[in-house]
Amino acid sequence: MDPIRIAVVGLGKIARDQHLPAIAGNGTFSLAATVSPHDHAIEGVPHLASLDALLAEGPAVDAVALCTPPQVRHDLAVAALKRGVHVFLEKPPGATLSEVAALQVRADRVGASLFAAWHARFAAGVAPARAWLAERRIDRVQVTWREDVRVWHPGQAWIWEPGGLGVFDPGINALSIVTHILPRPIFLKAATLTLPENRAAPIAAELHLLDTADAPITVDFDWRQTGPQLWDIIVETDAGTLRLSQGGAVLALPSGTEHGEDVEYAGLYSRFANLIRGGCSDVDTDPLRIVADAFLCGRRLTTQAFHD
């Protein structure tokens, strides 16, 4: 079977650190081209300044991985889907829920695969955590996602603009795990968003959610963390406490602790290949829906200006 010819659109840090190595390590794909109006090319790989140029001039591609900021991703996905090209959407899958729903309709119409790729769900501890929780009574959940924005997102102005999500850009990784591992649906009850006076997106957020059995879920996102960075999910159950740390890479159960290797993007590309070969899509928007609800009904506080 011929490899799936894929182009990577957007060559920022996530594309270079994660997407390109994952594609190189998966024999189902071949890197056909890269696209960016600003970033330099990869040696030996055709490089174009725009997706329109790639689709018009070649080389031919079967799929694209969209690694751009979310605010421009919809139009790029539309251009690809019009040609019947399969689309991998980095997280979050779009700037709005409605545009992602519209992309799903387009993908279904042309028979292309659309993949909303939540990489944190493929962290080593997530699948066994989901399995362990499946038959447990959930008593309460605490999510703490605190990191230093100057370390992880230096100079990324787009992330502070409408549609860029602010602290929810990393926080949505936690929500993607929680919505995946808990055995019942969850929904937002209240939120507080803290915005710097010179920015359009929050630097911190507190969420209060419930599952459909009324188990409370408390979420603490903050981009002002210095010192140790915290990416923890603690689930108290009738059988003891489960802890996912390091963004889902380490799972601690009452029976012991499991450490896994970084396989997130390898897992994503295996999933994308299976979707394409099977003629299917996977467009789960539950994590983005919770973020949208927080922006819809959350109380807003203003804090001091933030400067990189």
Side-chain angles (χ1 to χ4, degrees):
M1 188 176 293
D2 293 335
I4 299 165
R5 300 166 296 181
I6 191 168
V8 174
V9 182
L11 286 177
K13 180 175 174 56
I14 194 68
R16 293 178 182 273
D17 289 354
Q18 299 291 350
H19 288 263
L20 295 178
I23 292 168
N26 188 325
T28 306
F29 291 95
S30 64
L31 182 61
T34 57
V35 176
S36 175
H38 309 297
D39 300 294
H40 61 272
I42 306 299
E43 185 176 355
V45 178
H47 182 76
L48 295 95
S50 71
L51 180 58
D52 285 343
L54 172 65
L55 296 173
E57 304 165 14
V61 296
D62 306 301
V64 294
L66 301 184
C67 306
T68 64
Q71 295 97 323
V72 301
R73 208 170 288 153
H74 172 265
D75 290 350
L76 295 170
V78 167
L81 291 171
K82 282 182 176 179
R83 301 292 188 100
V85 172
H86 309 291
V87 176
F88 178 122
L89 300 168
E90 244 295 351
K91 65 85 191 172
T96 69
L97 286 164
S98 55
E99 71 182 25
V100 178
L103 290 177
Q104 178 69 81
V105 172
R106 285 183 177 271
D108 292 345
R109 185 182 303 147
V110 301
S113 294
L114 183 67
F115 182 31
W118 301 107
H119 67 83
R121 288 182 173 176
F122 289 82
V126 172
R130 176 183 168 97
W132 191 83
L133 290 171
E135 313 228 337
R136 311 288 185 230
R137 185 192 72 231
I138 309 302
D139 292 331
R140 62 186 54 81
V141 181
Q142 173 66 50
V143 179
T144 305
W145 231 250
R146 287 175 160 256
E147 62 182 49
D148 187 342
V149 65
R150 291 185 173 91
V151 172
W152 298 99
H153 300 278
Q156 293 184 4
W158 63 265
I159 214 164
W160 295 104
E161 296 299 322
L165 299 191
V167 75
F168 286 106
D169 178 78
I172 205 170
N173 294 331
L175 296 175
S176 75
I177 295 174
V178 170
T179 54
H180 186 63
I181 65 173
L182 293 183
R184 290 180 292 273
I186 66 175
F187 60 97
L188 186 76
K189 291 293 291 180
T192 300
L193 312 182
T194 301
L195 286 76
E197 62 184 9
N198 62 334
R199 303 288 181 170
I203 198 168
E206 295 180 5
L207 311 182
H208 297 278
L209 304 102
L210 292 173
D211 75 0
T212 53
D214 294 329
I217 303 156
T218 304
V219 177
D220 173 19
F221 296 152
D222 204 312
W223 252 351
R224 298 166 294 189
Q225 180 79 2
T226 58
Q229 309 288 280
L230 302 174
W231 302 288
D232 297 333
I233 298 170
I234 299 172
V235 184
E236 297 180 23
T237 80
D238 58 332
T241 299
L242 174 151
R243 177 189 291 268
L244 278 168
S245 57
Q246 298 182 28
V250 178
L251 171 63
L253 296 172
S255 59
T257 301
E258 302 176 14
H259 298 260
E261 60 180 324
D262 181 4
V263 294
E264 291 183 14
Y265 279 82
L268 285 177
Y269 276 94
S270 292
R271 174 65 172 156
F272 190 36
N274 289 337
L275 291 171
I276 293 171
R277 298 300 194 206
C280 304
S281 291
D282 180 356
V283 191
D284 178 16
T285 56
D286 281 352
L288 184 59
R289 184 176 294 109
I290 293 171
V291 174
D293 286 349
F295 277 99
L296 182 66
C297 66
R299 184 168 63 102
R300 284 164 170 76
L301 304 178
T302 301
T303 191
Q304 64 189 34
F306 173 83
H307 302 282
D308 280 328

